């Protein structure tokens, strides 16, 4: 899509969607929302940017490859699940230190895993088709 209006507005909307996804991530461990939904919104933001620009443009803007996001997210979520075992509690039990807790760590892991895995598939499919 080569419309200058679409390309310009896509950049603004992408930033707004990424900020909203971080808001949902931080809000979600106590209320509806959380890592999965926030990750999907972040991927939609990157997909919008991919439609406005190219897949190479999106890959250049990512600090790490999507596989690194997915792998580190799975490891963080697994760590959040294993952490209660060291305190004599069952797997995936919530540990709280004030307002911070292991559910937020789990949500961050899911957030990164969703972004990495869906973005990896999306970028690879788009590159195969073009």
């Amino acid at each position: 899509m080569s419309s200058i209006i679409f390309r310009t507005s896509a950049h603004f909307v992408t930033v707004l969607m990424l900020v909203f996804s971080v808001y949902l991530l931080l809000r979600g461990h106590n209320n509806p929302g959380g890592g999965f939904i926030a990750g999907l919104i972040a991927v939609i933001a990157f997909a919008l940017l991919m439609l406005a620009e190219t897949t190479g443009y999106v890959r250049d803007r990512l600090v790490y490859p999507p596989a690194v996001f997915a792998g580190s997210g799975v490891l963080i979520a697994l760590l959040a699940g294993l952490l209660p075992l060291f305190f004599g509690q069952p797997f995936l039990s919530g540990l709280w230190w004030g307002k911070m807790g292991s559910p937020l760590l789990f949500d961050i892991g899911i957030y990164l895993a969703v972004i990495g895995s869906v973005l990896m598939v999306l970028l690879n499919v788009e590159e195969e088709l073009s």
Side-chain angles (χ1 to χ4, degrees):
M1 299 200 184
S2 61
S3 166
I4 189 72
I5 296 171
F6 176 67
R7 291 179 63 192
T8 304
S9 62
H11 288 268
F12 289 117
V13 173
T14 298
V15 170
L16 289 176
M17 290 178 74
L18 289 175
V19 170
F20 183 63
S21 76
V22 171
Y23 168 74
L24 282 180
L25 169 69
L26 296 177
R27 176 183 170 265
H29 68 283
N30 282 333
N31 295 314
F36 189 79
I37 295 171
L40 287 179
I41 290 174
V43 168
I44 291 170
F46 285 118
L48 179 67
L49 194 59
M50 188 178 69
L51 288 175
E53 300 290 341
T54 62
T55 56
Y57 183 84
V58 173
R59 282 192 190 274
D60 290 344
R61 298 306 180 271
L62 295 173
V63 178
Y64 300 105
V68 173
F69 282 105
S72 63
V74 169
L75 287 177
I76 290 172
L78 183 63
L79 174 70
L82 292 174
L83 198 58
L85 295 176
F86 297 110
F87 294 94
Q89 296 186 8
F91 182 72
L92 282 177
S93 294
L95 295 176
W96 293 94
W97 306 278
K99 291 192 175 200
M100 299 295 290
S102 61
L104 178 61
L105 189 64
F106 182 77
D107 277 343
I108 290 172
I110 297 299
Y111 180 75
L112 291 174
V114 168
I115 288 175
S117 60
V118 177
L119 199 55
M120 184 170 38
V121 169
L122 197 62
L123 288 171
N124 287 337
V125 166
E126 180 63 25
E127 287 171 351
E128 286 287 325
L129 292 177
S130 57

